[in-house]
Structures are given as structure tokens and as C-alpha cells.
Amino acid sequence: MDDTRAMVDFLRDKYRRSIETSESIHDAVVTGRIPAIDGDRRRHAGLTLQSVHEAQSMLELFETTIVAHLGTAGPMGAIAEQQLRILARPFL
């Protein structure tokens, strides 16, 4: 279970940092610290806001469909464990 906890902590941190990065980029676009793509600040802000929402969704998906089922008996626990290992594999 220790390696499972380590993978969860690592991925949770990675998803949270992704949210923070996306939010920072979005804020920089909105405030003009980053030039807008093709000069269209509203369009660029929309794209960066979409990135924020995608990052938030990844963390929510991870927490509700994987972390919530880790350690449970039956197929859901086994599937959650397998999904966790698949997500962590590129970083091992």
C-alpha cells in the first residue's frame, strides 16, 4: 500500500500543479502580461480558461473514479489500482 500511497500523492500533486500553472497562464493572458494569440485577448483567454477547466476535471476524475475506490474489495478496487498504475507508469 505504501507504493500506492506514494503514487496517489505524486499524481495528486502533479494535477494540482497543472491547475496552478493553467490558472497562472490564464491570469497572465487576462491581465495582458502575456501577449494574446493573434491579438485576440478574449479568444486567448477563453482557450486558457478551457485549460484551467481541463486541469480541474483531471483532478476531479482522478479523485472520484480512482482514489475513492482504492483499497476496496471487488472489481472496482482492482480497476482503480490498475488505473492508478497506468497513470503513474510514465513517471516510474
Side-chain angles (χ1 to χ4, degrees):
M1 184 70 170
D2 289 336
D3 65 330
T4 297
R5 175 58 41 206
M7 285 186 279
V8 167
D9 291 344
F10 173 81
L11 289 170
R12 185 178 283 141
D13 183 58
K14 181 173 175 25
Y15 292 134
R16 286 179 180 158
R17 281 181 296 161
S18 180
I19 292 168
E20 290 170 3
T21 299
S22 296
E23 288 173 337
S24 177
I25 292 169
H26 175 69
D27 183 60
V29 169
V30 169
T31 60
R33 291 189 322 259
I34 293 177
I37 296 173
D38 296 330
D40 188 345
R41 186 158 313 285
R42 287 185 67 185
R43 181 174 174 273
H44 193 179
L47 292 172
T48 59
L49 185 58
Q50 181 179 346
S51 293
V52 171
H53 293 159
E54 288 171 359
Q56 291 168 335
S57 294
M58 285 302 300
L59 178 59
E60 182 179 358
L61 183 67
F62 176 69
E63 294 289 352
T64 60
T65 65
I66 296 175
V67 176
H69 298 285
L70 288 170
T72 61
M76 288 301 290
I79 291 168
E81 183 75 27
Q82 182 179 26
Q83 289 173 330
L84 175 66
R85 293 187 181 285
I86 290 169
L87 287 175
R89 186 178 303 145
F91 307 103
L92 298 177

Coordinates of all heavy atoms in Angstrom, one line a residue:
M1 N 0.8 -1.2 0.0 CA 0.0 0.0 0.0 C 0.9 1.3 0.0 O 0.4 2.3 -0.4 CB -1.0 0.0 1.2 CG -1.9 1.1 1.3 SD -3.1 1.0 -0.1 CE -4.3 2.2 0.4
D2 N 2.1 1.2 0.5 CA 3.0 2.3 0.5 C 3.2 2.9 -0.9 O 3.2 4.1 -1.1 CB 4.3 2.0 1.2 CG 4.1 1.9 2.7 OD1 3.1 2.4 3.2 OD2 4.9 1.2 3.3
D3 N 3.5 2.0 -1.8 CA 3.7 2.5 -3.2 C 2.4 3.1 -3.8 O 2.5 4.0 -4.5 CB 4.3 1.4 -4.1 CG 3.4 0.2 -4.3 OD1 2.5 -0.1 -3.5 OD2 3.5 -0.4 -5.4
T4 N 1.3 2.5 -3.4 CA 0.0 3.1 -3.9 C -0.1 4.5 -3.3 O -0.5 5.4 -4.0 CB -1.2 2.2 -3.4 OG1 -1.0 0.9 -4.0 CG2 -2.5 2.8 -3.8
R5 N 0.1 4.7 -2.0 CA 0.0 6.0 -1.4 C 1.0 7.0 -2.1 O 0.6 8.1 -2.3 CB 0.3 5.9 0.1 CG 0.3 7.2 0.8 CD -0.9 8.1 0.8 NE -2.1 7.4 0.9 CZ -3.3 7.9 0.4 NH1 -3.3 9.0 -0.2 NH2 -4.4 7.2 0.5
A6 N 2.2 6.5 -2.4 CA 3.2 7.4 -3.0 C 2.7 7.8 -4.4 O 2.9 9.0 -4.8 CB 4.5 6.7 -3.1
M7 N 2.1 6.9 -5.1 CA 1.6 7.2 -6.5 C 0.5 8.2 -6.4 O 0.4 9.1 -7.2 CB 1.2 5.9 -7.2 CG 2.4 5.1 -7.7 SD 1.9 3.7 -8.7 CE 1.4 2.5 -7.5
V8 N -0.4 8.0 -5.5 CA -1.6 8.9 -5.3 C -1.1 10.3 -5.0 O -1.5 11.3 -5.6 CB -2.5 8.4 -4.2 CG1 -3.5 9.5 -3.8 CG2 -3.3 7.1 -4.7
D9 N -0.2 10.4 -4.0 CA 0.4 11.7 -3.6 C 1.1 12.3 -4.8 O 0.9 13.5 -5.0 CB 1.3 11.5 -2.4 CG 0.6 11.1 -1.1 OD1 -0.6 11.2 -1.0 OD2 1.3 10.6 -0.2
F10 N 1.9 11.6 -5.5 CA 2.6 12.2 -6.6 C 1.6 12.7 -7.7 O 1.8 13.8 -8.2 CB 3.5 11.1 -7.2 CG 4.2 11.6 -8.5 CD1 5.3 12.4 -8.5 CD2 3.7 11.2 -9.7 CE1 5.9 12.9 -9.6 CE2 4.3 11.7 -10.9 CZ 5.4 12.5 -10.9
L11 N 0.7 11.9 -8.1 CA -0.3 12.3 -9.1 C -1.2 13.4 -8.7 O -1.4 14.3 -9.4 CB -1.1 11.1 -9.6 CG -0.3 10.0 -10.4 CD1 -1.1 8.8 -10.6 CD2 0.2 10.6 -11.8
R12 N -1.6 13.4 -7.4 CA -2.4 14.4 -6.9 C -1.7 15.8 -7.0 O -2.2 16.8 -7.4 CB -2.8 14.1 -5.5 CG -3.8 15.1 -4.9 CD -4.2 14.7 -3.5 NE -5.2 13.6 -3.5 CZ -5.2 12.6 -2.6 NH1 -4.3 12.5 -1.7 NH2 -6.2 11.7 -2.7
D13 N -0.4 15.7 -6.6 CA 0.4 16.9 -6.6 C 0.6 17.4 -8.1 O 0.5 18.6 -8.3 CB 1.8 16.6 -6.0 CG 2.7 17.9 -5.9 OD1 2.2 18.9 -5.3 OD2 3.8 17.8 -6.5
K14 N 0.8 16.5 -9.0 CA 1.0 16.8 -10.4 C -0.2 17.5 -10.9 O -0.1 18.5 -11.6 CB 1.3 15.5 -11.2 CG 1.6 15.7 -12.6 CD 2.0 14.5 -13.3 CE 2.2 14.6 -14.8 NZ 2.4 15.9 -15.3
Y15 N -1.4 16.9 -10.6 CA -2.7 17.5 -11.1 C -2.9 18.9 -10.5 O -3.3 19.8 -11.2 CB -3.8 16.6 -10.8 CG -3.8 15.3 -11.7 CD1 -4.0 14.1 -11.1 CD2 -3.5 15.4 -13.0 CE1 -4.0 12.9 -11.9 CE2 -3.5 14.2 -13.8 CZ -3.7 13.0 -13.2 OH -3.6 11.9 -13.9
R16 N -2.6 19.1 -9.2 CA -2.7 20.4 -8.6 C -1.8 21.4 -9.2 O -2.2 22.6 -9.4 CB -2.5 20.2 -7.1 CG -3.7 19.6 -6.4 CD -3.4 19.4 -4.9 NE -4.6 18.8 -4.3 CZ -4.5 18.1 -3.1 NH1 -3.4 18.1 -2.4 NH2 -5.6 17.6 -2.6
R17 N -0.6 21.0 -9.4 CA 0.4 21.9 -10.1 C -0.1 22.3 -11.5 O 0.1 23.5 -11.9 CB 1.8 21.3 -10.1 CG 2.5 21.4 -8.8 CD 3.9 20.9 -8.9 NE 3.7 19.4 -9.1 CZ 4.6 18.6 -9.6 NH1 5.8 19.0 -9.9 NH2 4.3 17.3 -9.8
S18 N -0.7 21.4 -12.2 CA -1.2 21.7 -13.5 C -2.3 22.7 -13.4 O -2.4 23.6 -14.3 CB -1.7 20.4 -14.1 OG -2.3 20.6 -15.4
I19 N -3.2 22.6 -12.4 CA -4.2 23.6 -12.2 C -3.6 25.0 -11.9 O -4.0 26.0 -12.5 CB -5.2 23.2 -11.1 CG1 -6.0 22.0 -11.4 CG2 -6.1 24.4 -10.7 CD1 -6.7 21.3 -10.3
E20 N -2.6 25.0 -11.0 CA -2.0 26.3 -10.7 C -1.3 26.9 -11.9 O -1.4 28.1 -12.1 CB -0.9 26.0 -9.6 CG -1.6 25.7 -8.2 CD -0.5 25.2 -7.2 OE1 0.7 25.2 -7.5 OE2 -1.0 24.9 -6.1
T21 N -0.6 26.1 -12.7 CA 0.1 26.6 -13.9 C -1.0 27.1 -14.9 O -0.8 28.2 -15.4 CB 0.9 25.5 -14.6 OG1 1.9 25.0 -13.6 CG2 1.5 26.0 -15.8
S22 N -2.0 26.4 -15.1 CA -3.1 26.8 -16.0 C -3.7 28.1 -15.6 O -4.0 29.0 -16.3 CB -4.1 25.8 -16.2 OG -3.6 24.6 -16.8
E23 N -4.0 28.2 -14.3 CA -4.6 29.4 -13.7 C -3.6 30.6 -13.8 O -4.1 31.7 -14.2 CB -4.9 29.2 -12.2 CG -6.1 28.4 -12.0 CD -6.4 28.0 -10.5 OE1 -5.4 28.1 -9.7 OE2 -7.5 27.7 -10.2
S24 N -2.4 30.4 -13.6 CA -1.4 31.4 -13.8 C -1.3 32.0 -15.2 O -1.2 33.2 -15.4 CB 0.0 30.9 -13.3 OG 1.0 31.9 -13.5
I25 N -1.3 31.1 -16.1 CA -1.2 31.4 -17.6 C -2.5 32.2 -17.9 O -2.4 33.2 -18.6 CB -1.0 30.2 -18.5 CG1 0.4 29.6 -18.2 CG2 -1.3 30.6 -19.9 CD1 0.6 28.3 -18.9
H26 N -3.6 31.7 -17.5 CA -4.9 32.4 -17.8 C -4.9 33.8 -17.2 O -5.2 34.8 -17.9 CB -6.1 31.6 -17.2 CG -7.4 32.3 -17.3 ND1 -8.0 32.4 -18.6 CD2 -8.2 32.9 -16.4 CE1 -9.1 33.1 -18.4 NE2 -9.3 33.4 -17.1
D27 N -4.4 33.9 -16.0 CA -4.4 35.3 -15.4 C -3.4 36.2 -16.1 O -3.7 37.4 -16.3 CB -3.9 35.1 -13.9 CG -3.9 36.5 -13.2 OD1 -5.0 37.1 -13.1 OD2 -2.8 36.9 -12.7
A28 N -2.3 35.7 -16.6 CA -1.4 36.5 -17.3 C -1.9 36.9 -18.7 O -1.7 38.0 -19.1 CB -0.1 35.7 -17.5
V29 N -2.7 36.1 -19.3 CA -3.4 36.4 -20.6 C -4.4 37.5 -20.3 O -4.5 38.5 -21.0 CB -4.0 35.2 -21.2 CG1 -4.9 35.7 -22.4 CG2 -2.9 34.3 -21.8
V30 N -5.3 37.3 -19.3 CA -6.3 38.3 -19.0 C -5.8 39.6 -18.6 O -6.3 40.7 -19.0 CB -7.2 37.7 -17.9 CG1 -8.2 38.8 -17.3 CG2 -8.0 36.5 -18.3
T31 N -4.7 39.7 -17.8 CA -4.1 40.9 -17.4 C -3.2 41.6 -18.4 O -2.7 42.7 -18.2 CB -3.4 40.8 -16.1 OG1 -2.3 39.8 -16.2 CG2 -4.4 40.3 -15.0
G32 N -2.9 40.8 -19.5 CA -2.0 41.4 -20.5 C -0.5 41.2 -20.3 O 0.3 41.7 -21.1
R33 N -0.2 40.4 -19.3 CA 1.3 40.1 -19.1 C 1.8 39.1 -20.2 O 3.0 39.0 -20.4 CB 1.5 39.5 -17.7 CG 1.2 40.5 -16.6 CD 1.7 40.0 -15.3 NE 1.4 38.6 -15.0 CZ 0.4 38.2 -14.3 NH1 -0.5 39.0 -13.7 NH2 0.2 36.9 -14.1
I34 N 0.9 38.4 -20.8 CA 1.3 37.5 -22.0 C 0.5 38.1 -23.2 O -0.7 38.3 -23.1 CB 0.8 36.1 -21.7 CG1 1.7 35.4 -20.6 CG2 1.0 35.2 -23.0 CD1 1.3 34.0 -20.3
P35 N 1.2 38.3 -24.3 CA 0.5 38.8 -25.5 C -0.6 37.7 -26.0 O -0.4 36.5 -25.9 CB 1.6 38.9 -26.5 CG 2.9 38.8 -25.8 CD 2.6 38.1 -24.5
A36 N -1.6 38.3 -26.4 CA -2.7 37.4 -26.9 C -2.4 36.8 -28.3 O -1.7 37.4 -29.1 CB -4.0 38.2 -27.1
I37 N -2.9 35.6 -28.5 CA -2.7 34.9 -29.8 C -3.4 35.7 -30.8 O -4.6 36.0 -30.7 CB -3.3 33.5 -29.7 CG1 -2.5 32.6 -28.7 CG2 -3.2 32.8 -31.1 CD1 -3.1 31.2 -28.4
D38 N -2.7 36.1 -31.9 CA -3.3 36.8 -33.0 C -4.0 38.1 -32.5 O -4.9 38.6 -33.2 CB -4.4 36.0 -33.8 CG -3.7 34.8 -34.4 OD1 -2.6 34.8 -34.8 OD2 -4.4 33.7 -34.6
G39 N -3.6 38.6 -31.4 CA -4.1 39.9 -30.9 C -5.5 39.8 -30.3 O -6.1 40.8 -29.9
D40 N -6.1 38.6 -30.2 CA -7.5 38.5 -29.8 C -7.4 38.0 -28.3 O -7.4 36.8 -28.0 CB -8.2 37.5 -30.7 CG -9.7 37.4 -30.4 OD1 -10.1 37.9 -29.3 OD2 -10.4 36.8 -31.2
R41 N -7.4 38.9 -27.4 CA -7.3 38.6 -26.0 C -8.5 37.8 -25.5 O -8.3 36.8 -24.7 CB -7.1 39.9 -25.1 CG -6.9 39.5 -23.7 CD -6.2 40.7 -22.9 NE -5.1 41.3 -23.6 CZ -3.9 40.7 -23.7 NH1 -3.6 39.6 -23.2 NH2 -2.9 41.4 -24.3
R42 N -9.7 38.1 -25.9 CA -10.9 37.3 -25.4 C -10.8 35.9 -25.9 O -11.1 35.0 -25.1 CB -12.2 38.0 -26.0 CG -12.5 39.3 -25.2 CD -13.8 39.8 -25.7 NE -14.8 38.9 -25.2 CZ -16.1 39.0 -25.5 NH1 -16.5 40.0 -26.3 NH2 -17.0 38.1 -25.1
R43 N -10.4 35.6 -27.1 CA -10.3 34.3 -27.6 C -9.2 33.5 -26.9 O -9.4 32.4 -26.4 CB -10.0 34.3 -29.1 CG -9.8 32.9 -29.7 CD -9.7 33.0 -31.2 NE -9.5 31.7 -31.8 CZ -8.2 31.1 -31.9 NH1 -7.2 31.8 -31.5 NH2 -8.1 29.9 -32.4
H44 N -8.0 34.2 -26.7 CA -6.9 33.5 -26.0 C -7.3 33.3 -24.5 O -7.0 32.2 -24.0 CB -5.7 34.4 -26.1 CG -4.4 33.8 -25.7 ND1 -3.2 34.4 -25.7 CD2 -4.1 32.5 -25.2 CE1 -2.3 33.6 -25.3 NE2 -2.8 32.5 -25.0
A45 N -8.0 34.2 -23.9 CA -8.5 34.0 -22.5 C -9.4 32.8 -22.4 O -9.4 32.0 -21.5 CB -9.1 35.3 -22.0
G46 N -10.3 32.7 -23.4 CA -11.2 31.5 -23.5 C -10.4 30.2 -23.6 O -10.8 29.2 -22.9
L47 N -9.4 30.2 -24.4 CA -8.6 29.0 -24.5 C -7.9 28.6 -23.2 O -7.8 27.5 -22.8 CB -7.6 29.1 -25.7 CG -8.2 29.2 -27.1 CD1 -7.1 29.6 -28.1 CD2 -8.8 27.9 -27.5
T48 N -7.3 29.6 -22.6 CA -6.6 29.4 -21.3 C -7.6 29.0 -20.2 O -7.2 28.1 -19.4 CB -5.7 30.5 -20.9 OG1 -6.5 31.7 -20.7 CG2 -4.6 30.8 -22.0
L49 N -8.8 29.6 -20.2 CA -9.8 29.2 -19.2 C -10.2 27.7 -19.4 O -10.4 26.9 -18.5 CB -11.0 30.1 -19.3 CG -12.0 29.8 -18.2 CD1 -11.5 30.0 -16.8 CD2 -13.2 30.8 -18.4
Q50 N -10.3 27.3 -20.7 CA -10.6 25.9 -21.0 C -9.5 25.0 -20.4 O -9.8 23.9 -19.9 CB -10.7 25.7 -22.5 CG -11.0 24.3 -22.9 CD -11.1 24.1 -24.4 OE1 -11.2 25.1 -25.2 NE2 -11.1 22.8 -24.8
S51 N -8.2 25.4 -20.5 CA -7.1 24.6 -19.9 C -7.3 24.5 -18.4 O -7.0 23.5 -17.9 CB -5.8 25.3 -20.3 OG -5.5 25.2 -21.7
V52 N -7.7 25.6 -17.8 CA -7.9 25.5 -16.3 C -9.0 24.5 -16.0 O -8.8 23.6 -15.1 CB -8.4 26.9 -15.8 CG1 -8.8 26.8 -14.3 CG2 -7.2 27.9 -15.9
H53 N -10.1 24.5 -16.8 CA -11.2 23.6 -16.5 C -10.8 22.1 -16.8 O -11.2 21.2 -16.1 CB -12.4 24.0 -17.4 CG -13.0 25.3 -16.9 ND1 -13.8 26.0 -17.7 CD2 -12.9 25.9 -15.8 CE1 -14.2 27.1 -17.1 NE2 -13.7 27.1 -15.9
E54 N -10.0 21.9 -17.8 CA -9.5 20.6 -18.1 C -8.6 20.1 -17.0 O -8.7 18.9 -16.6 CB -8.7 20.6 -19.4 CG -9.6 20.8 -20.7 CD -8.8 21.0 -21.9 OE1 -7.5 21.0 -21.9 OE2 -9.4 21.2 -23.0
A55 N -7.7 20.9 -16.5 CA -6.8 20.5 -15.4 C -7.7 20.2 -14.1 O -7.4 19.2 -13.4 CB -5.8 21.6 -15.1
Q56 N -8.7 21.0 -13.8 CA -9.6 20.8 -12.7 C -10.3 19.4 -12.9 O -10.5 18.7 -11.9 CB -10.5 21.9 -12.5 CG -9.9 23.2 -12.0 CD -10.8 24.4 -12.1 OE1 -11.7 24.4 -12.9 NE2 -10.5 25.4 -11.3
S57 N -10.8 19.2 -14.1 CA -11.5 18.0 -14.4 C -10.6 16.7 -14.2 O -11.1 15.7 -13.7 CB -12.1 18.0 -15.8 OG -13.0 19.0 -15.9
M58 N -9.4 16.8 -14.6 CA -8.5 15.7 -14.4 C -8.3 15.3 -12.9 O -8.4 14.2 -12.6 CB -7.1 16.0 -15.0 CG -7.1 15.9 -16.5 SD -7.6 14.3 -17.2 CE -6.4 13.2 -16.5
L59 N -8.2 16.3 -12.1 CA -8.0 16.1 -10.7 C -9.3 15.5 -10.1 O -9.3 14.5 -9.4 CB -7.7 17.3 -9.9 CG -7.5 17.2 -8.4 CD1 -6.5 16.2 -8.0 CD2 -7.3 18.5 -7.7
E60 N -10.5 16.0 -10.5 CA -11.7 15.5 -10.0 C -12.0 14.1 -10.5 O -12.4 13.2 -9.7 CB -12.9 16.4 -10.6 CG -14.2 16.0 -10.1 CD -15.4 16.8 -10.5 OE1 -15.1 17.8 -11.2 OE2 -16.5 16.5 -10.2
L61 N -11.6 13.8 -11.8 CA -11.8 12.4 -12.3 C -10.9 11.5 -11.5 O -11.3 10.4 -11.1 CB -11.4 12.4 -13.8 CG -11.5 11.1 -14.5 CD1 -13.0 10.7 -14.6 CD2 -10.9 11.2 -15.9
F62 N -9.6 11.9 -11.3 CA -8.7 11.1 -10.5 C -9.2 10.8 -9.1 O -9.2 9.6 -8.7 CB -7.4 11.8 -10.5 CG -6.3 11.1 -9.6 CD1 -5.7 9.9 -10.0 CD2 -5.9 11.7 -8.4 CE1 -4.7 9.3 -9.3 CE2 -4.9 11.1 -7.7 CZ -4.3 9.9 -8.1
E63 N -9.7 11.8 -8.4 CA -10.2 11.6 -7.1 C -11.4 10.8 -7.0 O -11.6 9.9 -6.1 CB -10.4 13.0 -6.4 CG -9.2 13.8 -6.2 CD -8.3 13.3 -5.1 OE1 -8.6 12.4 -4.4 OE2 -7.2 13.9 -5.0
T64 N -12.4 11.0 -7.9 CA -13.7 10.3 -7.8 C -13.7 8.9 -8.4 O -14.5 8.1 -7.9 CB -14.8 11.2 -8.4 OG1 -14.5 11.4 -9.8 CG2 -15.0 12.5 -7.7
T65 N -12.9 8.7 -9.4 CA -13.0 7.4 -10.1 C -11.9 6.4 -9.7 O -12.0 5.3 -10.0 CB -13.1 7.5 -11.6 OG1 -11.9 8.1 -12.1 CG2 -14.3 8.4 -12.0
I66 N -10.8 7.0 -9.2 CA -9.6 6.1 -8.8 C -9.4 6.1 -7.3 O -9.6 5.1 -6.7 CB -8.4 6.6 -9.6 CG1 -8.6 6.4 -11.1 CG2 -7.2 5.7 -9.1 CD1 -7.5 6.8 -12.0
V67 N -9.0 7.3 -6.8 CA -8.7 7.4 -5.4 C -9.8 6.9 -4.5 O -9.6 6.1 -3.5 CB -8.3 8.8 -5.0 CG1 -8.0 8.9 -3.5 CG2 -7.0 9.2 -5.8
A68 N -11.0 7.2 -4.8 CA -12.2 6.9 -4.0 C -12.4 5.3 -3.9 O -13.0 4.8 -3.0 CB -13.5 7.5 -4.5
H69 N -11.8 4.6 -4.9 CA -12.1 3.2 -4.9 C -10.9 2.3 -4.6 O -10.9 1.1 -4.5 CB -12.6 2.8 -6.3 CG -13.9 3.4 -6.6 ND1 -15.1 3.0 -6.0 CD2 -14.2 4.5 -7.4 CE1 -16.1 3.8 -6.5 NE2 -15.6 4.7 -7.3
L70 N -9.7 3.0 -4.3 CA -8.5 2.2 -4.0 C -8.7 1.5 -2.6 O -9.3 2.1 -1.7 CB -7.3 3.2 -3.9 CG -6.8 3.7 -5.2 CD1 -5.8 4.8 -5.0 CD2 -6.2 2.6 -6.1
G71 N -8.3 0.3 -2.6 CA -8.4 -0.5 -1.3 C -9.7 -1.1 -1.1 O -9.9 -1.8 -0.1
T72 N -10.7 -0.9 -2.0 CA -12.0 -1.5 -1.9 C -12.0 -2.9 -2.5 O -11.2 -3.2 -3.4 CB -13.1 -0.7 -2.5 OG1 -12.9 -0.6 -3.9 CG2 -13.2 0.7 -1.9
A73 N -12.8 -3.8 -1.9 CA -12.9 -5.2 -2.4 C -13.6 -5.2 -3.8 O -14.3 -4.3 -4.1 CB -13.6 -6.0 -1.4
G74 N -13.3 -6.2 -4.5 CA -14.0 -6.5 -5.8 C -13.4 -5.8 -7.0 O -12.3 -5.2 -6.9
P75 N -14.2 -5.8 -8.0 CA -13.7 -5.3 -9.3 C -13.3 -3.8 -9.3 O -12.4 -3.4 -9.9 CB -14.8 -5.6 -10.3 CG -15.7 -6.5 -9.7 CD -15.5 -6.4 -8.2
M76 N -14.1 -3.0 -8.6 CA -13.9 -1.6 -8.6 C -12.5 -1.3 -7.9 O -11.7 -0.4 -8.5 CB -14.9 -0.8 -7.8 CG -16.3 -0.8 -8.5 SD -16.2 0.1 -10.1 CE -15.9 1.7 -9.6
G77 N -12.1 -1.9 -6.9 CA -10.8 -1.7 -6.3 C -9.7 -2.2 -7.2 O -8.7 -1.5 -7.3
A78 N -9.9 -3.3 -7.8 CA -8.9 -3.8 -8.8 C -8.7 -2.9 -10.0 O -7.6 -2.6 -10.4 CB -9.2 -5.2 -9.2
I79 N -9.8 -2.4 -10.5 CA -9.7 -1.5 -11.6 C -9.1 -0.2 -11.2 O -8.2 0.4 -11.9 CB -11.2 -1.2 -12.2 CG1 -11.7 -2.5 -12.9 CG2 -11.2 -0.1 -13.2 CD1 -13.2 -2.4 -13.2
A80 N -9.4 0.4 -10.0 CA -8.8 1.6 -9.6 C -7.3 1.4 -9.4 O -6.5 2.3 -9.8 CB -9.5 2.0 -8.2
E81 N -6.9 0.3 -8.9 CA -5.5 0.0 -8.7 C -4.8 0.0 -10.1 O -3.7 0.5 -10.2 CB -5.2 -1.3 -8.0 CG -3.8 -1.6 -7.7 CD -3.2 -0.8 -6.5 OE1 -3.9 -0.4 -5.6 OE2 -2.0 -0.7 -6.6
Q82 N -5.4 -0.7 -11.0 CA -4.8 -0.8 -12.4 C -4.7 0.6 -13.0 O -3.7 1.0 -13.6 CB -5.6 -1.7 -13.2 CG -5.1 -1.9 -14.6 CD -5.9 -2.9 -15.4 OE1 -7.1 -3.0 -15.2 NE2 -5.3 -3.5 -16.4
Q83 N -5.8 1.4 -12.9 CA -5.8 2.7 -13.5 C -4.7 3.6 -12.9 O -4.0 4.4 -13.6 CB -7.2 3.4 -13.3 CG -8.2 2.8 -14.2 CD -9.6 3.3 -13.9 OE1 -9.9 3.7 -12.7 NE2 -10.5 3.3 -14.9
L84 N -4.6 3.5 -11.5 CA -3.5 4.3 -10.9 C -2.1 4.0 -11.4 O -1.3 4.8 -11.7 CB -3.6 4.0 -9.4 CG -2.4 4.7 -8.5 CD1 -2.6 6.2 -8.6 CD2 -2.5 4.1 -7.1
R85 N -1.9 2.7 -11.6 CA -0.6 2.2 -12.1 C -0.3 2.7 -13.5 O 0.8 3.1 -13.9 CB -0.4 0.7 -11.9 CG -0.3 0.4 -10.4 CD 0.0 -1.1 -10.2 NE 0.0 -1.3 -8.8 CZ 1.0 -0.9 -7.9 NH1 2.0 -0.3 -8.4 NH2 0.9 -1.2 -6.6
I86 N -1.4 2.7 -14.3 CA -1.3 3.1 -15.7 C -1.0 4.6 -15.7 O -0.1 5.0 -16.5 CB -2.6 2.8 -16.5 CG1 -2.7 1.3 -16.7 CG2 -2.6 3.6 -17.8 CD1 -4.0 0.9 -17.2
L87 N -1.6 5.4 -14.9 CA -1.4 6.9 -14.9 C 0.0 7.2 -14.4 O 0.7 8.1 -14.8 CB -2.4 7.6 -14.0 CG -3.8 7.7 -14.6 CD1 -4.7 8.3 -13.5 CD2 -3.8 8.5 -15.8
A88 N 0.5 6.4 -13.4 CA 1.8 6.6 -12.8 C 3.0 6.1 -13.7 O 4.1 6.6 -13.5 CB 1.9 6.0 -11.4
R89 N 2.7 5.1 -14.5 CA 3.7 4.4 -15.3 C 4.7 5.4 -16.0 O 5.9 5.1 -15.9 CB 3.1 3.5 -16.3 CG 4.2 2.6 -17.0 CD 3.5 1.6 -18.0 NE 2.6 0.8 -17.3 CZ 1.5 0.3 -17.8 NH1 1.2 0.7 -19.1 NH2 0.6 -0.4 -17.2
P90 N 4.3 6.4 -16.7 CA 5.3 7.3 -17.4 C 6.3 8.0 -16.5 O 7.3 8.4 -16.9 CB 4.4 8.4 -18.0 CG 3.0 7.8 -18.1 CD 2.9 6.8 -16.9
F91 N 6.0 8.0 -15.2 CA 6.9 8.7 -14.2 C 7.7 7.8 -13.4 O 8.5 8.2 -12.6 CB 6.0 9.6 -13.3 CG 5.1 10.5 -14.1 CD1 3.8 10.2 -14.2 CD2 5.6 11.6 -14.7 CE1 2.9 11.0 -14.9 CE2 4.7 12.4 -15.4 CZ 3.4 12.1 -15.5
L92 N 7.5 6.4 -13.6 CA 8.3 5.5 -12.8 C 9.7 5.2 -13.4 O 9.9 5.3 -14.5 CB 7.5 4.2 -12.7 CG 6.2 4.3 -11.9 CD1 5.5 2.9 -11.9 CD2 6.4 4.8 -10.5

